[in-house]
Amino acid sequence: MRWITTICFGLCFVLAVAQNDKAFVQRQIDAFSQELAIGGVKDWVVVKRYCEGRTEMIKMPDGSWCTSRGTYYTAYMLFDANEQGVKLKKWDNCGEFEVREIPLANHPGLKVLLAASASMESEEVLAYKTAVRNTNPEQRTAIYNCKRDYHIRAGGKEFDKHFSLFALSNDSGQPNMNYPYNNALGLVKLERQFDLLLKEYDTKLKRSQQ
């Protein structure tokens, strides 16, 4: 009887846990983007950040549990708010977070970078390239399953960009010949700006009540 009780408990727990995938995250982004468009906002940048195969289980504000169905995704949107700043919005497999305003005084170059995002359509992050082919599979796959998916709407253009964080790295044992080129791209500068913003604000973003 004990093993039956254990199985039942396990099944009940699984059924009680919300499970959402990448499509769920995208639906939330699409709904919010439509609201912005209706409200007259024309330009924004969205980035999905994820490491393939990494899952998360999160305790929600109401005490329930949520787990990613497959890979765990976080998505962030930056959009123009007014002359004083821009706004930051976040989603993940478990729902959305409240919008937070980012004062330009703290990040003076942010608005300029967003205004220039339309020019990033022609940019491509090149793959990690070494002078000698790397035959060490462990080194090739170590931590570089982490990816970035950008969706940019700016200057009447709308386009997507995708790259691996591996392409932005530079292993001293196997130098990346494309490292200087990649890190000079506006798209990568935008990625670095997201890094700075999230270091300061990510833990301050409040999860919305679902």
Side-chain angles (χ1 to χ4, degrees):
M1 286 298 293
R2 179 177 295 178
W3 66 272
I4 293 176
T5 303
T6 302
I7 291 174
C8 289
F9 177 80
L11 287 173
C12 289
F13 180 76
V14 170
L15 291 173
V17 173
Q19 294 183 314
N20 300 310
D21 57 9
K22 180 181 181 180
F24 171 81
V25 178
Q26 188 60 52
R27 286 195 299 272
Q28 294 182 99
I29 296 170
D30 290 344
F32 188 75
S33 299
Q34 187 174 18
E35 289 179 16
L36 289 183
I38 292 172
V41 178
K42 297 180 180 180
D43 300 338
W44 55 77
V45 173
V46 178
V47 58
K48 293 191 190 80
R49 296 179 150 215
Y50 61 99
C51 297
E52 292 177 344
R54 175 191 166 194
T55 61
E56 292 282 345
M57 179 174 280
I58 296 169
K59 190 171 184 179
M60 303 296 284
D62 64 359
S64 64
W65 288 91
C66 171
T67 184
S68 56
R69 181 183 298 165
T71 298
Y72 175 72
Y73 291 84
T74 55
Y76 300 88
M77 175 188 280
L78 281 174
F79 61 97
D80 235 330
N82 47 50
E83 293 181 359
Q84 284 70 48
V86 297
K87 289 187 177 181
L88 177 66
K89 176 75 173 176
K90 176 182 178 180
W91 301 266
D92 67 4
N93 300 58
C94 297
E96 63 179 336
F97 292 71
E98 296 175 0
V99 173
R100 185 176 183 107
E101 187 157 336
I102 310 298
L104 286 181
N106 297 353
H107 302 275
L110 181 57
K111 204 152 190 171
V112 174
L113 193 56
L114 287 177
S117 60
S119 66
M120 299 173 192
E121 184 179 21
S122 61
E123 297 183 351
E124 295 294 339
V125 175
L126 301 180
Y128 195 113
K129 182 180 179 181
T130 61
V132 179
R133 184 180 178 184
N134 183 4
T135 58
N136 183 343
E138 182 178 345
Q139 192 175 46
R140 287 200 308 268
T141 60
I143 59 172
Y144 300 111
N145 63 338
C146 295
K147 308 288 178 65
R148 299 291 185 262
D149 293 348
Y150 274 86
H151 181 78
I152 297 174
R153 174 172 162 157
K157 301 178 180 180
E158 195 162 358
F159 55 91
D160 297 310
K161 293 293 176 180
H162 314 279
F163 58 87
S164 166
L165 292 189
F166 185 31
L168 307 185
S169 63
N170 193 29
D171 187 327
S172 58
Q174 294 281 349
N176 180 7
M177 296 173 65
N178 289 325
Y179 178 81
Y181 173 83
N182 285 343
N183 284 274
L185 294 173
L187 182 62
V188 175
K189 292 178 182 178
L190 181 59
E191 169 69 10
R192 301 303 186 210
Q193 185 67 62
F194 265 106
D195 286 340
L196 292 173
L197 285 174
L198 298 182
K199 183 177 180 180
E200 181 175 354
Y201 292 104
D202 201 21
T203 58
K204 299 175 183 176
L205 299 176
K206 296 181 179 179
R207 189 177 291 278
S208 300
Q209 293 292 334
Q210 303 301 309

